[in-house]
Amino acid sequence: MKQETKYIFRVITINLLIAILIMLILIDFDFTALLEFFIDFLLNFLIGITGLYATGYVIGQNLYKFKKNKYTIGHGILSIFGVLFLGILLGSTVRIYSGRPSIWK
């Protein structure tokens, strides 16, 4: 695994921890409510997190190619936004294909 991919994985992990902390703050640190929420949307979370790490891996491996051309901070910022966008897209499409009621009905 390339060094760029390891950095992206660290950033994804930090972002997930920050998201959990924000959720805990919103529900006044009620861990049982947070656990129930995770259980209710377990498939969404698993596919979304897998999508984040999978796109992080692909983008990190391709970012290594820019090392020859001296990539800049802009490449790093754009790659992280790409990981975020594609991970959210993968995680949110689960609701469309699952048997849960949709807001589009």
Side-chain angles (χ1 to χ4, degrees):
M1 190 176 338
K2 308 278 190 278
Q3 189 67 27
E4 290 81 5
T5 307
K6 290 179 184 177
Y7 287 144
I8 289 177
F9 280 2
R10 288 179 192 148
V11 169
I12 291 171
T13 305
I14 290 169
N15 286 334
L16 289 174
L17 292 174
I18 290 171
I20 290 172
L21 182 64
I22 290 172
M23 290 174 67
L24 282 171
I25 289 171
L26 289 175
I27 59 172
D28 294 329
F29 293 96
D30 185 10
F31 290 103
T32 56
L34 182 68
L35 185 62
E36 289 174 5
F37 181 73
F38 282 150
I39 290 172
D40 288 343
F41 295 101
L42 184 64
L43 182 63
N44 293 59
F45 286 122
L46 287 179
I47 292 181
I49 292 171
T50 304
L52 280 172
Y53 282 106
T55 56
Y57 179 78
V58 170
I59 290 177
Q61 296 295 354
N62 289 326
L63 193 61
Y64 179 73
K65 297 175 187 175
F66 287 116
K67 195 170 194 174
K68 299 172 190 170
N69 299 333
K70 294 284 187 185
Y71 60 86
T72 62
I73 294 174
H75 286 112
I77 292 171
L78 288 175
S79 64
I80 292 299
F81 277 122
V83 168
L84 180 66
F85 176 74
L86 292 173
I88 289 172
L89 186 67
L90 286 172
S92 63
T93 55
V94 176
R95 181 150 176 104
I96 296 171
Y97 294 111
S98 66
R100 296 188 181 147
S102 178
I103 60 170
W104 301 107
K105 289 183 179 181

